[in-house]
Amino acid sequence: MSVQKKTDVKVITTHQLQNMKERGEKISMLTAYDFSMATILDAAGVDVLLVGDSASNVMAGHETTLPITLDQMIYHAQSVVRGVRRAFVVVDLPFGSYQGNSSEALRSTIRIMKESGAHGVKIEGGAEIKESITRILSAGVPVMGHLGLTPQSIYKFGTYTVRAKEEAEAQKLIEDAQLLQELGCFAIVLEKIPSELAKRVAENLQIPIIGIGAGPHVDGQVLVVHDMLGINKEFKPRFLRRYADLHTIMTEAVQNYVKDVKDRNFPTEKEAY
Ligand code: KIV
């Protein structure tokens, strides 16, 4: 029996993601924040959909991921889950929903799981949130870790530049990754770290390592969907590959619509009742 919704499609589970790592099949992951986009991404074969707190940036227009609330994350997650038949859906625990203590972390996770129907949560950090991760896992919820550039700590870092270039930070990241695996996380996202370091982590750990700006030698890749579709023109870090120029396509479509309305070319009699 499937633990996800009844469907004729073979759904993705944490076991399948683990099997993918073991047989060397790369894992594809993208962010999603709404029903329509989730429907397209799921049907196109994306393995994991992340309801990322990057919704704070790309959906709400905030400069950082800090302002988005737990209620807002749950709203996005509910919309995504309704559009999914096959993908594994992971939801970010937003800033302020888990840092207080492990009870708060568990309470926030239970709200996400109960109210959205998602399949797991992602949480930023290593040893410092060990208790929270243990508590969430003990409730039977799959946890994805997130190390390297963790955007919720942007005011500590000061910039969005590459993390763990220095030996001490690289060593801490290796130890944190090992700890997350020992605690029972099913996967880890490594964001914006040197490719060689990511390779070392992926080779030494048994669980899947998903990279964003972490090079090609990891077990899978994640991108923010608005960035890879070229909706967002300004953001162009080296690691980003644009697979479409939707900004131009959408702008031209809307300009054509405006022109047709102004010129009385839309609607025609055929488009009327
Ligand atoms: O919120 C997000 O989009 C993320 C990805 C960058 C991994 O955490």
Side-chain angles (χ1 to χ4, degrees), residues 29-33 50-58 65 73 92 122 124 144 146 149 151-152 189-191 210-212 222-225 227 239:
M29 172 162 151
L30 282 174
T31 63
Y33 317 102
L50 169 66
V51 184
D53 57 0
S54 51
S56 179
N57 309 107
V58 295
T65 58
M73 289 300 295
D92 263 332
K122 178 163 81 57
E124 294 186 8
M144 178 180 268
H146 185 158
L149 176 63
Q152 291 177 15
V189 166
L190 293 183
E191 180 164 354
I210 315 287
I212 173 164
V222 56
L223 286 174
V224 169
V225 70
D227 298 339
F239 69 77

